[in-house]
Amino acid sequence: MTAQQSSTAPVGSRPDGEDQFPAGAQVFVRDEVWLVRNSVRTEHDGAKVDVVGVSDFVRDQEAVFFTGLDTIELIDPRRTKLVRDESSNFRRSRLFLEAVLRKTALPQSERRLALADSFLLDSLPYQRRPAELALSGRNLRPRLLIADVVGLGKTLEIGLTLAELIRRGRGERILVVTPQHVLEQFQHELWTRFAIPLVRLDSIGIERIQREIPAGRNPFTYFKRVIVSIDTLKNTDQYKHHLERINWDAVVIDESHNLINRGSLRNQLAQILAPRTDALILASATPHNGDAKSFAELISLLDPAAIRDPEHYRAEDIEHLFIRRTKISPEVREQMKGQWADRGPSQSVRCAATPAEEKIFEELAAVWLPGENGTSVSAVPLFPYTLLKSFLSSHAALKATVAARSKTLEKKDDPTATHAELAALHALRELVAPLTEADSAKFAALVEQLRAIGVGPKSDARVVVFSERVQTLEWLRTVLPAALGFRGRAAEESTRVMHGGLSDEQQMQCVEDFGLADAPVRILLTGDVASEGVNLHRQCHQLIHYDVPWSLIRIEQRNGRIDRYGQAHQPQFRALILTSEVEGAKDDTVVAERLLDREDQAHRALGTAEAVTGLYRAEAEEKSLIQDLLRGRTVDESLDTRRTEAEADAAMDDFLADFFGSVGDPEPGAEDGDPQDAQGSGADASAPAGAGAGAGNAAVPRLFTSTAEFLDEALREVFPDATTSLDLHRDTESGLLSFRPPTDLVHRLKALPLDYVREQRLRERLLVTFNRRLAEHSLKRARESSTSSWPEISLLTDLHPVVEWLTDKVLVRLGRQEALIITADVLEPTYLVQGVYSNALGRPTVVKWMGVTRGGTVEDDMVGLLRRSGVGPTMANPMRHSEPATALEAGIADALAAAEQFLDRHRDAWDEPLRKPIDDYKARLGDWEQPTLVGERTKKSLSSLADSLLTTGRPLLRVLAVLVPDPEASSPAPSTA
């Protein structure tokens, strides 16, 4: 293509008339110049373009435009105006080029990780693999189920995945959905570890936003990245119309096993969100209920066409969609050596029943739970075991159960039919009414165990105590502190209670207080609401089961609250086992003690206890066990029988044998990463670890050796008087930067967690650092504070708002459609050109950084060219010019034409890594038989989506700068490839 031919259509326009607007490009809208930050297609309004102002009147202002509503003109690169860079060491040019490199999204063909080594976490390859799988191209979109067992760090794996999506321009709008009691914990981890801010929208937060925005405005468009509880969102009647009118780049749903039940509010929520997001990450340690069809429904949220027959499939059919490891998986075991202590044994603490308790055992054995030849007074077969479990918890729980059952029976129309049971309940009430803590063997044992652990007024030791019964928890709160020697206000502050009856704010406060070293709480009394997802290991490695759930899964989930990644001490577990001398008494040695032993065996042998019964749900395990006890089976007979029955189901055996086998173990050679450097993008050989190719890291071009160097020079360029204008202070020894944020940066802080901004007074002063050790110390110090769990110092990463703010400040310093002239060690003028191919969704598929000589020679390693040409921090600016800028501008059209010809010649080769997985997916889609009308529509939609991911149209080109020879240089070195 000649320059004349090229001039017939704007370079970068698409033949179908739809414009593309890549991040970093400049556009002209409403008589002003704007810098594109992100661009996505919408269903009704064309392209949605997020921008920041460049021209004087709108400088630094953020805005959103739609091509269907505004005329958005992509600035024609042939009209680029060249201006000479007269800054010292060509700092202005180097900063501008680095900023463009940073703002340009990585292309789809770059499958390797770009940021994994830059965050505040340990470098553990097993935690990288979910992100690697999401980006691998094995699935049409970045969608997966992270099914690692409890404690392996699923939140960190999610954070890494989201960070990589953000770097690829696929994480601008993020929705995270979690149980209400882990909202703040999840929000805290993503900000402190990854600098990914999520605004918490609990029910109160949504109401507040709706008061601030115009009537009818969608509250979920107010912030780009939000976290909200599933309990808030599942009210689909209230939020459904808002959710149906918004699309997300990425949706995360934690504890996703709660989505399985078709027709439930949670399932309806998932059905709304799944088709309205590009990336979908589901997370659950127990993602199935033992039913192949139910699990297939969960997988269908990720890919509706993944499973042909929902009742007959194998793990290999969906291995591209999920990943699962246990603590004993080879890669986890090897990588965690010395970092995560093996858990201690589950110690049974036997407590001989007191005389008062023995009387209740006698009553239960004689009237409610008679032996083989007797009958129960209750007409409801399972109720006597509900009664027994209440008593094995506490006399307070038994009182509540007796009262509730009596009230139910008294409401029946035929009281004579229930007279015997009511009389038996009255007898129990008479026996339990006078009981106090002095009559409780378990309570005495609990106090003894807590003293042995060291819990008391003069100790920092902490313990979490689990009970299934709210009445037990509340009773313990009233009597336990005094028994341990706590008095006055200390007694009130020493013990906290957490259960499902508390609000989300109250539950989150309990978790936060227990994790703060300086907080006075020493004992957390909690129900099984804390057995899913909650981190209780920060200041605690001691756990006591006051009563034991009749489910292996629930026991394991409880233990996982302190036995998890990041635990600095060996987790210790105790269970209070109430024993009886009464013949026929079903005390805790009958069920609880055996379950504890079986869970411990399974955990050490398999890494998880989920597969023991083959039921995969705590509720199902408990119900099945009680039914077997009614049949006269022992606990061991029940567990073994259930597993045998599950294995007899061939369909489930095929799937679950694989699921609990080697699924999730790395394939041979997987740790070496993608062997192809799909872009040949000229990785900076001097860049810090993780920035270059090899060892599975993405090839990311960098002109500066580090983000710290870039930020330092950017501050000097943008704020030459930063000491005064920003009140900037640098601690050269520690690496701490302290400054007062200007107005435009304060505006960006609205995206940060509101509690964090308020508690750390960020609008007044920011404390940031590149020193990982300092940031880690600040995070640890925050956990030891009684005032706030948010660290005062944050780690600067490529995603941090301060880095993004300065990058934008650098970019907008260059005028409309301007490029800089750099005097360098070259033989002839060489134009630096960015070339981007995109797909129909506006996402880059190929990104090339080229140097084009006046003679038409093209080199696609711009960073290497700059380095060989002497462009760097030590270069001198001679302030001499070889030829007028107008003469250089005359060569732009030919340089762009040569660049486009080069791109066109290689396009098919670059496209090949993208085409193959898409073609493979379409082939699988063709074999997917769906006779229903809905199925055919889904099939057509997925096929259309697959086609939209392929490169389309002409490349978008942009002139970034021009290198010119020094007119007084005697013999410039040749620029060789």
Side-chain angles (χ1 to χ4, degrees):
M1 181 181 293
T2 66
Q4 183 176 4
Q5 289 172 318
S6 175
S7 66
T8 60
V11 177
S13 67
R14 288 173 47 187
D16 60 7
E18 296 180 44
D19 291 333
Q20 295 174 327
F21 307 99
Q26 292 188 358
V27 293
F28 194 60
V29 190
R30 300 184 185 179
D31 296 324
E32 300 293 342
V33 180
W34 307 81
L35 180 76
V36 176
R37 302 176 68 179
N38 186 58
S39 174
V40 294
R41 301 296 303 172
T42 67
E43 292 183 13
H44 306 294
D45 298 320
K48 172 179 172 288
V49 187
D50 290 277
V51 298
V52 61
V54 174
S55 51
D56 292 337
F57 186 69
V58 295
R59 188 176 299 276
D60 293 331
Q61 292 186 24
E62 297 177 333
V64 177
F65 297 114
F66 295 86
T67 55
L69 304 176
D70 285 285
T71 300
I72 305 178
E73 179 187 347
L74 188 67
I75 296 176
D76 188 345
R78 292 167 302 173
R79 299 174 183 171
T80 301
K81 180 182 179 181
L82 298 178
V83 296
R84 301 194 182 277
D85 183 356
E86 298 183 350
S87 64
S88 176
N89 306 114
F90 290 103
R91 183 171 66 193
R92 188 182 182 196
S93 294
R94 291 185 293 107
L95 286 169
F96 172 75
L97 291 171
E98 175 74 8
V100 174
L101 289 169
R102 288 174 172 273
K103 294 298 289 187
T104 301
L106 294 181
Q108 278 190 182
S109 50
E110 179 53 84
R111 307 294 191 192
R112 296 165 298 181
L113 305 191
L115 302 174
D117 295 327
S118 61
F119 300 117
L120 199 62
L121 67 163
D122 298 325
S123 181
L124 297 173
Y126 88 83
Q127 291 183 345
R128 290 178 165 206
R129 289 213 303 110
E132 291 169 346
L133 178 59
L135 300 173
S136 67
R138 297 174 63 191
N139 186 24
L140 194 61
R141 292 172 287 181
R143 293 180 161 222
L144 77 158
L145 165 63
I146 302 178
D148 288 343
V149 299
V150 292
L152 264 63
K154 288 187 288 294
T155 304
L156 301 181
E157 293 168 355
I158 291 169
L160 280 172
T161 305
L162 291 177
E164 292 294 334
L165 292 174
I166 291 170
R167 184 61 183 87
R168 286 156 175 78
R170 305 179 74 169
E172 192 70 11
R173 292 195 54 79
I174 296 173
L175 172 67
V176 176
V177 184
T178 75
Q180 61 185 12
H181 53 278
V182 297
L183 273 178
E184 185 163 331
Q185 172 183 297
F186 206 110
Q187 180 192 37
H188 189 276
E189 287 287 278
L190 259 64
W191 169 254
T192 59
R193 299 293 185 183
F194 303 97
I196 299 177
L198 299 173
V199 173
R200 193 171 78 231
L201 293 185
D202 48 27
S203 55
I204 296 175
I206 293 179
E207 290 177 4
R208 176 179 54 79
I209 290 173
Q210 287 179 323
R211 290 195 299 268
E212 295 176 0
I213 62 179
R217 175 80 179 271
N218 191 334
F220 298 107
T221 64
Y222 196 72
F223 295 107
K224 293 182 178 180
R225 296 168 184 166
V226 302
I227 182 168
V228 62
S229 81
I230 194 167
D231 301 285
T232 297
L233 273 194
K234 72 181 183 182
N235 186 352
T236 51
D237 289 339
Q238 182 176 355
Y239 300 116
K240 181 178 179 181
H241 68 287
H242 289 312
L243 295 173
E244 288 178 338
R245 293 167 54 194
I246 190 169
N247 289 318
W248 304 91
D249 291 317
V251 168
V252 176
I253 304 180
D254 194 20
E255 304 297 344
S256 55
H257 54 271
N258 294 316
L259 307 177
I260 287 179
N261 297 326
R262 180 170 288 277
S264 68
L265 292 178
R266 289 182 174 90
N267 182 268
Q268 291 176 31
L269 170 64
Q271 297 294 340
I272 291 173
L273 293 175
R276 290 172 174 81
T277 181
D278 175 41
L280 177 61
I281 304 172
L282 306 179
S284 173
T286 55
H288 50 83
N289 58 5
D291 178 70
K293 190 172 182 180
S294 294
F295 187 74
E297 182 180 331
L298 188 66
I299 293 296
S300 72
L301 294 172
L302 302 171
D303 183 356
I307 296 174
R308 298 182 188 178
D309 183 348
E311 295 183 352
H312 300 89
Y313 56 97
R314 298 182 64 88
E316 63 189 28
D317 297 330
I318 56 172
E319 61 184 1
H320 58 294
L321 290 168
F322 80 96
I323 190 167
R324 176 179 177 82
R325 283 80 52 89
T326 72
K327 191 177 179 181
I328 67 169
S329 295
E331 62 171 339
V332 178
R333 185 178 61 247
E334 291 303 312
Q335 293 167 30
M336 292 305 301
K337 280 184 177 178
Q339 299 189 57
W340 185 359
D342 290 335
R343 77 182 211 178
S346 292
Q347 178 184 350
S348 293
V349 179
R350 290 196 171 190
C351 323
T354 64
E357 289 173 326
E358 288 286 47
K359 290 181 180 180
I360 295 177
F361 269 123
E362 291 173 355
E363 181 73 9
L364 291 175
V367 178
W368 297 90
L369 295 162
E372 296 181 4
N373 299 323
T375 58
S376 172
V377 70
S378 177
V380 180
L382 297 183
F383 177 70
Y385 281 94
T386 300
L387 209 57
L388 173 65
K389 289 193 67 184
S390 295
F391 173 56
L392 292 175
S393 179
S394 70
H395 63 277
L398 179 59
K399 287 180 183 178
T401 301
V402 168
R405 179 63 176 166
S406 298
K407 187 175 183 180
T408 298
L409 293 178
E410 288 166 357
K411 289 182 178 179
K412 288 186 175 292
D413 295 334
D414 185 8
T416 58
T418 59
H419 179 75
E421 186 171 354
L422 278 170
L425 288 169
H426 179 73
L428 270 178
R429 184 185 297 113
E430 292 294 317
L431 288 173
V432 75
L435 267 61
T436 68
E437 61 270 23
D439 300 299
S440 173
K442 274 191 175 183
F443 180 78
L446 175 64
V447 172
E448 181 181 349
Q449 291 300 313
L450 291 176
R451 287 174 176 167
I453 290 170
V455 177
K458 297 181 180 180
S459 171
D460 293 332
R462 298 193 183 193
V463 66
V464 55
V465 179
F466 271 98
S467 172
E468 289 188 306
R469 307 289 170 154
V470 172
Q471 296 82 9
T472 300
L473 296 172
E474 295 291 355
W475 165 66
L476 286 174
R477 178 170 60 177
T478 63
V479 297
L480 186 56
L484 292 171
F486 291 100
R487 297 289 182 268
R489 184 173 180 81
E492 181 181 345
E493 294 177 338
S494 68
T495 307
R496 298 293 297 272
V497 173
M498 178 171 151
H499 52 72
L502 303 180
S503 69
D504 52 354
E505 290 288 342
Q506 291 172 319
Q507 291 183 36
M508 287 187 290
Q509 192 63 51
C510 284
V511 174
E512 180 178 5
D513 289 348
F514 193 66
L516 296 174
D518 278 355
V521 59
R522 293 293 176 265
I523 306 164
L524 178 63
L525 302 170
T526 181
D528 287 318
V529 66
S531 67
E532 289 188 353
V534 178
N535 291 333
L536 300 178
H537 67 293
R538 302 296 185 193
Q539 310 295 336
C540 175
H541 65 282
Q542 301 281 357
L543 184 149
I544 295 177
H545 299 278
Y546 194 81
D547 52 45
V548 178
W550 286 12
S551 159
L552 297 176
I553 292 174
R554 189 70 76 202
I555 295 171
E556 180 177 74
Q557 288 174 332
R558 283 184 177 185
N559 291 345
R561 296 313 99 211
I562 65 168
D563 181 19
R564 55 198 304 107
Y565 171 68
Q567 175 59 268
H569 306 281
Q570 184 184 60
Q572 300 287 332
F573 307 103
R574 294 171 173 83
L576 305 183
I577 304 298
L578 186 62
T579 64
S580 172
E581 297 294 332
V582 173
E583 183 178 353
K586 291 182 171 57
D587 61 14
D588 277 325
T589 63
V590 175
V591 177
E593 199 166 48
R594 289 306 305 140
L595 289 175
L596 286 169
D597 186 53
R598 291 295 293 267
E599 187 275 339
D600 189 63
Q601 293 175 22
H603 182 85
R604 297 181 189 281
L606 304 173
T608 177
E610 290 176 279
V612 173
T613 64
L615 295 173
Y616 309 100
R617 275 288 178 269
E619 297 80 3
E621 282 188 335
E622 180 175 335
K623 183 177 181 181
S624 172
L625 177 58
I626 292 176
Q627 289 173 337
D628 282 345
L629 291 173
L630 287 170
R631 297 185 184 103
R633 291 173 177 167
T634 66
V635 168
D636 291 302
E637 289 171 343
S638 174
L639 298 180
D640 295 338
T641 299
R642 289 302 171 191
R643 182 58 188 163
T644 301
E645 291 174 354
E647 290 174 349
D649 186 334
M652 286 305 298
D653 180 48
D654 285 346
F655 171 63
L656 292 177
D658 289 340
F659 193 86
F660 285 102
S662 60
V663 170
D665 288 342
E667 299 175 3
E671 66 276 7
D672 296 329
D674 189 340
Q676 289 184 330
D677 178 2
Q679 291 303 306
S681 52
D684 187 346
S686 65
N697 292 322
V700 180
R702 285 283 186 264
L703 190 57
F704 284 69
T705 59
S706 67
T707 301
E709 182 189 13
F710 168 72
L711 183 136
D712 186 61
E713 288 216 36
L715 277 173
R716 298 178 194 278
E717 173 70 16
V718 179
F719 298 100
D721 60 342
T723 303
T724 301
S725 62
L726 299 181
D727 191 20
L728 176 68
H729 297 279
R730 300 171 184 263
D731 187 327
T732 55
E733 184 175 342
S734 69
L736 178 66
L737 289 177
S738 169
F739 67 97
R740 183 180 64 249
T743 303
D744 56 333
L745 179 54
V746 169
H747 178 69
R748 295 187 183 215
L749 298 182
K750 69 178 183 179
L752 271 59
L754 298 180
D755 291 345
Y756 170 55
V757 174
R758 182 181 64 254
E759 291 173 10
Q760 296 301 331
R761 305 172 71 176
L762 299 187
R763 296 182 183 92
E764 301 173 23
R765 194 156 202 86
L766 289 178
L767 300 177
V768 294
T769 186
F770 286 102
N771 185 329
R772 193 185 306 267
R773 183 175 298 178
L774 178 61
E776 184 71 53
H777 178 70
S778 179
L779 180 57
K780 181 180 179 181
R781 190 167 62 245
R783 293 195 180 114
E784 295 173 351
S785 166
S786 59
T787 57
S788 175
S789 62
W790 295 103
E792 61 177 352
I793 303 172
S794 61
L795 181 69
L796 288 169
T797 73
D798 286 353
L799 304 183
H800 197 285
V802 168
V803 176
E804 292 185 335
W805 163 71
L806 266 179
T807 303
D808 287 344
K809 299 288 281 188
V810 167
L811 289 172
V812 300
R813 287 177 69 79
L814 205 59
R816 177 181 177 184
Q817 207 164 355
E818 289 182 345
L820 294 164
I821 302 173
I822 307 170
T823 302
D825 193 5
V826 294
L827 290 171
E828 60 180 317
T830 303
Y831 298 85
L832 305 184
V833 180
Q834 178 193 41
V836 179
Y837 278 113
S838 297
N839 59 30
L841 299 176
R843 302 190 188 110
T845 56
V846 175
V847 178
K848 286 294 175 181
W849 308 93
M850 298 168 283
V852 185
T853 68
R854 181 170 281 175
T857 302
V858 179
E859 177 182 351
D860 67 342
D861 181 5
M862 183 183 79
V863 172
L865 170 63
L866 288 166
R867 188 174 293 113
R868 293 192 306 274
S869 302
V871 177
T874 61
M875 70 186 299
N877 189 341
M879 301 294 183
R880 296 186 293 264
H881 315 303
S882 58
E883 56 184 294
T886 52
L888 294 169
E889 290 170 358
I892 289 177
D894 286 331
L896 291 171
E900 187 164 4
Q901 286 179 329
F902 172 82
L903 294 174
D904 189 57
R905 285 197 304 272
H906 297 283
R907 170 175 166 169
D908 288 343
W910 293 330
D911 264 355
E912 181 57 29
L914 289 175
R915 281 199 304 269
K916 187 178 186 309
I918 292 173
D919 290 343
D920 290 345
Y921 182 85
K922 292 187 70 174
R924 293 199 307 270
L925 194 60
D927 295 335
W928 183 50
E929 297 180 3
Q930 275 293 319
T932 66
L933 181 60
V934 173
E936 286 300 322
R937 287 175 179 169
T938 301
K939 189 173 181 178
K940 184 177 180 181
S941 174
L942 291 172
S943 179
S944 175
L945 174 63
D947 289 335
S948 70
L949 300 179
L950 292 167
T951 299
T952 182
R954 295 170 58 192
L956 191 147
L957 301 176
R958 181 182 180 190
V959 178
L960 304 175
V962 58
L963 304 180
V964 297
D966 186 343
E968 297 186 13
S970 55
S971 55
S975 179
T976 58

